[in-house]
Structures are given as C-alpha cells and as structure tokens.
Amino acid sequence: MDDATYRAMLMGQTGKNSATLLTLSELSQVLDYMRRSGARHPTRDGGRRRVIPGADRAALMTKVHALLSQLGATLAYADAICKRNHWCDRVDFASPALLHKLVGALSRTLRGRSDGATAGETSE
C-alpha cells in the first residue's frame, strides 16, 4: 500500500492522517478494517510451524540456529542441506545423529566462507 492510499485509509477510518496520532481504540479499528479488507500478518519461514525439539535435540538445534544466523541463512537452507544429502526432508525430522552431521556441514560452510574472505583480503 503506497503512502497516499495508506493516509487516505486512515483518514476514512479515523479522521486522522497519521498512525502516531491514533489512540489504541482507533488503532484497533484500523487493524480490524485492514483484516476485513484481506490484509494478513506476514509469517516467517513460509508460514510453516516448526516443532519444538525434544531434550535430546535441543542443544543441537540451538547450534544449528546459531550457525545459520552467522551464515545469514534460514531454516529453509538447513532443510535443503538435509534434503540434498538424503538425510530427511526437514530439519524438524532429523535425529540427533543427523543434526550432528548438519552442524558439521554448516560449520564447514562457515569456515569456507571466512577462509575465502581472509584469502581475498591478504592477496592484495
């Protein structure tokens, strides 16, 4: 929604042209109008709900998340690694042994990227 349309919608719903001027009840009114008009809240990761890992997988999943954040990647990237290696379809279904392999693969990828950056800096 462009700015002019947004401000016109606010003006039509509340008589004010800026969300900073709205009260909580007016904000709720605008939100209800937007939902009725078909607006949806953006979902992370394509809308998939991730399972909460069990105690045997929690530490490894924490490590996977940490490595993915360092790589600037999402769980979809980890899913693709698992699928490409025929381990499982999604990280959610990985056993602790497969998660250990995934942590190794992500660590090697991170190391390769950092070695490449270091080699590029020292060659000049």
Side-chain angles (χ1 to χ4, degrees):
M1 177 182 311
D2 64 280
D3 191 56
T5 306
Y6 171 72
R7 292 189 185 282
M9 182 267 307
L10 285 178
M11 186 63 81
Q13 291 299 308
T14 63
K16 298 176 183 173
N17 67 350
S18 175
T20 59
L21 303 174
L22 301 179
T23 64
L24 285 178
S25 63
E26 291 170 330
L27 284 170
S28 177
Q29 177 184 349
V30 169
L31 185 59
D32 289 340
Y33 171 78
M34 291 177 75
R35 285 185 181 145
R36 284 192 314 270
S37 298
R40 294 186 309 142
H41 189 276
T43 57
R44 297 182 330 182
D45 200 20
R48 292 190 330 206
R49 289 187 177 252
R50 294 289 181 163
V51 297
I52 298 171
D56 58 338
R57 300 174 56 243
L60 288 166
M61 283 301 293
T62 301
K63 183 66 176 176
V64 166
H65 284 286
L67 290 168
L68 287 172
S69 67
Q70 288 178 357
L71 287 168
T74 63
L75 278 173
Y77 181 75
D79 289 343
I81 291 173
C82 288
K83 199 167 192 172
R84 183 182 64 221
N85 289 305
H86 304 288
W87 294 336
C88 57
D89 287 337
R90 287 177 40 189
V91 176
D92 300 329
F93 305 129
S95 66
L98 292 179
L99 286 174
H100 185 74
K101 289 181 181 183
L102 178 62
V103 166
L106 292 170
S107 297
R108 286 187 296 276
T109 302
L110 185 62
R111 191 175 328 118
R113 287 188 184 178
S114 63
D115 288 348
T118 305
E121 292 171 358
T122 58
S123 64
E124 293 178 7

mmCIF file of all heavy atoms in Angstrom, residues 2 4 10 18 21-22 26 37 44 51 78 85 93 97 103 109-110 116:
data_model
loop_
_atom_site.group_PDB
_atom_site.id
_atom_site.type_symbol
_atom_site.label_atom_id
_atom_site.label_comp_id
_atom_site.label_asym_id
_atom_site.label_seq_id
_atom_site.Cartn_x
_atom_site.Cartn_y
_atom_site.Cartn_z
ATOM 1 N N ASP A 2 0.712 2.114 -0.963
ATOM 2 C CA ASP A 2 1.545 3.312 -1.022
ATOM 3 C C ASP A 2 1.103 4.302 0.061
ATOM 4 O O ASP A 2 0.043 4.166 0.680
ATOM 5 C CB ASP A 2 1.474 3.946 -2.416
ATOM 6 C CG ASP A 2 0.089 4.429 -2.758
ATOM 7 O OD1 ASP A 2 -0.762 3.601 -3.143
ATOM 8 O OD2 ASP A 2 -0.133 5.646 -2.638
ATOM 9 N N ALA A 4 0.077 7.472 0.043
ATOM 10 C CA ALA A 4 -1.153 8.250 -0.152
ATOM 11 C C ALA A 4 -2.391 7.401 0.138
ATOM 12 O O ALA A 4 -3.340 7.862 0.796
ATOM 13 C CB ALA A 4 -1.202 8.797 -1.582
ATOM 14 N N LEU A 10 -6.480 5.764 6.565
ATOM 15 C CA LEU A 10 -6.511 6.238 7.955
ATOM 16 C C LEU A 10 -7.525 7.373 8.123
ATOM 17 O O LEU A 10 -8.296 7.389 9.087
ATOM 18 C CB LEU A 10 -5.128 6.727 8.390
ATOM 19 C CG LEU A 10 -4.072 5.679 8.686
ATOM 20 C CD1 LEU A 10 -2.751 6.351 9.053
ATOM 21 C CD2 LEU A 10 -4.507 4.753 9.794
ATOM 22 N N SER A 18 -2.327 10.178 10.348
ATOM 23 C CA SER A 18 -1.082 9.575 10.800
ATOM 24 C C SER A 18 -1.368 8.577 11.927
ATOM 25 O O SER A 18 -2.165 8.869 12.835
ATOM 26 C CB SER A 18 -0.115 10.645 11.313
ATOM 27 O OG SER A 18 1.045 10.045 11.854
ATOM 28 N N LEU A 21 -0.953 9.593 15.633
ATOM 29 C CA LEU A 21 -1.988 10.388 16.302
ATOM 30 C C LEU A 21 -3.140 9.537 16.826
ATOM 31 O O LEU A 21 -4.024 10.043 17.517
ATOM 32 C CB LEU A 21 -2.542 11.435 15.327
ATOM 33 C CG LEU A 21 -1.532 12.404 14.718
ATOM 34 C CD1 LEU A 21 -2.202 13.273 13.660
ATOM 35 C CD2 LEU A 21 -0.897 13.252 15.802
ATOM 36 N N LEU A 22 -3.162 8.255 16.506
ATOM 37 C CA LEU A 22 -4.292 7.395 16.847
ATOM 38 C C LEU A 22 -4.224 6.904 18.283
ATOM 39 O O LEU A 22 -3.146 6.656 18.827
ATOM 40 C CB LEU A 22 -4.336 6.193 15.912
ATOM 41 C CG LEU A 22 -4.462 6.482 14.416
ATOM 42 C CD1 LEU A 22 -4.478 5.186 13.625
ATOM 43 C CD2 LEU A 22 -5.702 7.300 14.126
ATOM 44 N N GLU A 26 -8.598 3.449 18.229
ATOM 45 C CA GLU A 26 -8.557 3.771 16.800
ATOM 46 C C GLU A 26 -7.607 2.847 16.052
ATOM 47 O O GLU A 26 -7.892 2.428 14.924
ATOM 48 C CB GLU A 26 -8.156 5.234 16.596
ATOM 49 C CG GLU A 26 -9.219 6.219 17.047
ATOM 50 C CD GLU A 26 -8.722 7.647 17.078
ATOM 51 O OE1 GLU A 26 -7.505 7.869 17.305
ATOM 52 O OE2 GLU A 26 -9.556 8.546 16.888
ATOM 53 N N SER A 37 -10.443 -6.294 5.032
ATOM 54 C CA SER A 37 -10.109 -5.999 3.638
ATOM 55 C C SER A 37 -9.157 -7.021 3.036
ATOM 56 O O SER A 37 -8.798 -6.918 1.872
ATOM 57 C CB SER A 37 -9.487 -4.607 3.541
ATOM 58 O OG SER A 37 -10.412 -3.640 3.975
ATOM 59 N N ARG A 44 6.792 -15.949 9.189
ATOM 60 C CA ARG A 44 8.178 -16.323 8.947
ATOM 61 C C ARG A 44 8.232 -17.705 8.315
ATOM 62 O O ARG A 44 7.377 -18.547 8.555
ATOM 63 C CB ARG A 44 8.955 -16.378 10.269
ATOM 64 C CG ARG A 44 9.050 -15.082 10.959
ATOM 65 C CD ARG A 44 9.862 -15.198 12.207
ATOM 66 N NE ARG A 44 9.744 -16.532 12.793
ATOM 67 C CZ ARG A 44 10.306 -16.927 13.898
ATOM 68 N NH1 ARG A 44 11.018 -16.107 14.568
ATOM 69 N NH2 ARG A 44 10.159 -18.142 14.355
ATOM 70 N N VAL A 51 8.382 -27.571 14.851
ATOM 71 C CA VAL A 51 8.157 -28.327 16.069
ATOM 72 C C VAL A 51 9.170 -27.893 17.114
ATOM 73 O O VAL A 51 10.261 -27.440 16.795
ATOM 74 C CB VAL A 51 8.264 -29.859 15.825
ATOM 75 C CG1 VAL A 51 7.206 -30.322 14.875
ATOM 76 C CG2 VAL A 51 9.633 -30.226 15.314
ATOM 77 N N ALA A 78 18.919 -24.995 5.836
ATOM 78 C CA ALA A 78 19.256 -26.247 6.524
ATOM 79 C C ALA A 78 18.387 -27.390 6.008
ATOM 80 O O ALA A 78 18.869 -28.517 5.853
ATOM 81 C CB ALA A 78 19.085 -26.077 8.028
ATOM 82 N N ASN A 85 21.313 -34.159 0.844
ATOM 83 C CA ASN A 85 22.130 -35.284 1.299
ATOM 84 C C ASN A 85 21.304 -36.529 1.606
ATOM 85 O O ASN A 85 21.853 -37.510 2.105
ATOM 86 C CB ASN A 85 22.934 -34.869 2.536
ATOM 87 C CG ASN A 85 24.029 -33.900 2.183
ATOM 88 O OD1 ASN A 85 24.855 -34.190 1.327
ATOM 89 N ND2 ASN A 85 24.031 -32.744 2.819
ATOM 90 N N PHE A 93 12.618 -33.240 11.312
ATOM 91 C CA PHE A 93 12.542 -34.695 11.368
ATOM 92 C C PHE A 93 13.904 -35.348 11.570
ATOM 93 O O PHE A 93 14.015 -36.570 11.558
ATOM 94 C CB PHE A 93 11.916 -35.239 10.081
ATOM 95 C CG PHE A 93 10.579 -34.638 9.775
ATOM 96 C CD1 PHE A 93 10.316 -34.095 8.535
ATOM 97 C CD2 PHE A 93 9.575 -34.595 10.724
ATOM 98 C CE1 PHE A 93 9.090 -33.528 8.246
ATOM 99 C CE2 PHE A 93 8.346 -34.032 10.455
ATOM 100 C CZ PHE A 93 8.107 -33.498 9.202
ATOM 101 N N ALA A 97 21.747 -37.742 15.527
ATOM 102 C CA ALA A 97 22.926 -38.069 14.713
ATOM 103 C C ALA A 97 22.945 -37.251 13.419
ATOM 104 O O ALA A 97 23.999 -36.759 12.997
ATOM 105 C CB ALA A 97 22.941 -39.562 14.397
ATOM 106 N N VAL A 103 25.330 -29.890 11.711
ATOM 107 C CA VAL A 103 26.188 -28.911 12.376
ATOM 108 C C VAL A 103 27.572 -28.933 11.733
ATOM 109 O O VAL A 103 28.168 -27.882 11.474
ATOM 110 C CB VAL A 103 26.276 -29.189 13.899
ATOM 111 C CG1 VAL A 103 27.411 -28.409 14.540
ATOM 112 C CG2 VAL A 103 24.958 -28.849 14.562
ATOM 113 N N THR A 109 30.818 -24.933 5.940
ATOM 114 C CA THR A 109 30.392 -23.847 5.057
ATOM 115 C C THR A 109 30.829 -22.502 5.615
ATOM 116 O O THR A 109 31.371 -21.667 4.889
ATOM 117 C CB THR A 109 28.859 -23.863 4.871
ATOM 118 O OG1 THR A 109 28.468 -25.123 4.340
ATOM 119 C CG2 THR A 109 28.408 -22.752 3.949
ATOM 120 N N LEU A 110 30.628 -22.299 6.895
ATOM 121 C CA LEU A 110 31.026 -21.052 7.540
ATOM 122 C C LEU A 110 32.542 -20.880 7.479
ATOM 123 O O LEU A 110 33.040 -19.796 7.177
ATOM 124 C CB LEU A 110 30.532 -21.024 8.987
ATOM 125 C CG LEU A 110 30.764 -19.747 9.765
ATOM 126 C CD1 LEU A 110 30.028 -18.583 9.108
ATOM 127 C CD2 LEU A 110 30.287 -19.910 11.199
ATOM 128 N N GLY A 116 37.662 -17.873 2.600
ATOM 129 C CA GLY A 116 37.616 -17.182 1.315
ATOM 130 C C GLY A 116 37.736 -15.680 1.478
ATOM 131 O O GLY A 116 38.409 -14.991 0.705
#
